[in-house]
Amino acid sequence: MQQIVFYLARAANGVIGADGDLPWRLPADLKRFKALTMGKPMVMGRKTFESFPSPLPGRRHIVLTRDPNWQAEGAEVAHTPAAALALAADAPEIAIIGGAEVFALYRDAATRIELTEVHAEPGGDATVPPFTDWHETAREDHPADGTRPAYSFVTLTR
């Protein structure tokens, strides 16, 4: 059975982004994201794709957009949630990486969530509601360090 897995960092107030960027700097979160998504097809919205300086190495970039004319080097374009999943139908796992609208589209289909809980309440313009109907199966807590907030790596399943 194909797994549909969310990969995201979410602050205590639900914020996942601010002006097309992350509102925190957590190198360990970026390292974990890279390790967990390497070799997997990633489904994302256009704004998430455009927030990268260039396509991330070692991963397919399936970009969900309503714009029928949009295209970009390194992006496989899909115009519906089903079409995006169909592009990766042969993969055992599809990584859903954002943004907020994309997480909302796949919320009912997700089978696991790899969440970085950021223990802060930054301002931001992209939010995701809490995952209250999920069960925590793993947690690794990390203390604050200088200007970096405390955070926890959490795995959630249904």
Side-chain angles (χ1 to χ4, degrees):
M1 179 180 152
Q2 187 176 57
Q3 299 287 305
I4 297 175
V5 182
F6 284 11
Y7 292 91
L8 74 153
R10 181 185 177 277
N13 59 355
V15 168
I16 65 166
D19 298 321
D21 201 1
L22 297 173
W24 47 75
R25 291 285 169 252
L26 294 173
D29 173 53
L30 299 177
K31 183 178 178 183
R32 180 175 185 253
F33 175 84
K34 179 180 181 180
L36 292 175
T37 61
M38 188 57 68
K40 297 175 181 155
M42 301 184 305
V43 173
M44 68 203 77
R46 177 191 51 79
K47 289 186 233 175
T48 296
F49 179 82
E50 291 176 347
S51 74
F52 300 146
S54 62
L56 303 177
R59 290 154 277 192
R60 288 174 59 197
H61 295 69
I62 300 170
V63 180
L64 192 53
T65 178
R66 291 182 285 268
D67 183 346
N69 300 312
W70 187 86
Q71 55 185 339
E73 188 172 333
E76 298 174 55
V77 179
H79 299 293
T80 67
L85 295 181
L87 285 172
D90 59 339
E93 180 183 308
I94 298 175
I96 308 295
I97 67 164
E101 289 181 48
V102 174
F103 288 127
L105 288 170
Y106 291 105
R107 191 168 180 121
D108 291 339
T111 54
R112 190 174 84 240
I113 299 170
E114 294 295 344
L115 175 67
T116 299
E117 290 180 346
V118 180
H119 304 299
E121 296 196 5
D125 54 11
T127 61
V128 169
F131 298 103
T132 55
D133 52 338
W134 291 76
H135 304 285
E136 183 176 312
T137 59
R139 173 178 290 270
E140 183 182 313
D141 296 321
H142 300 271
D145 181 16
T147 60
R148 293 187 181 122
Y151 59 95
S152 301
F153 294 145
V154 181
T155 299
L156 302 170
T157 58
R158 291 217 184 259

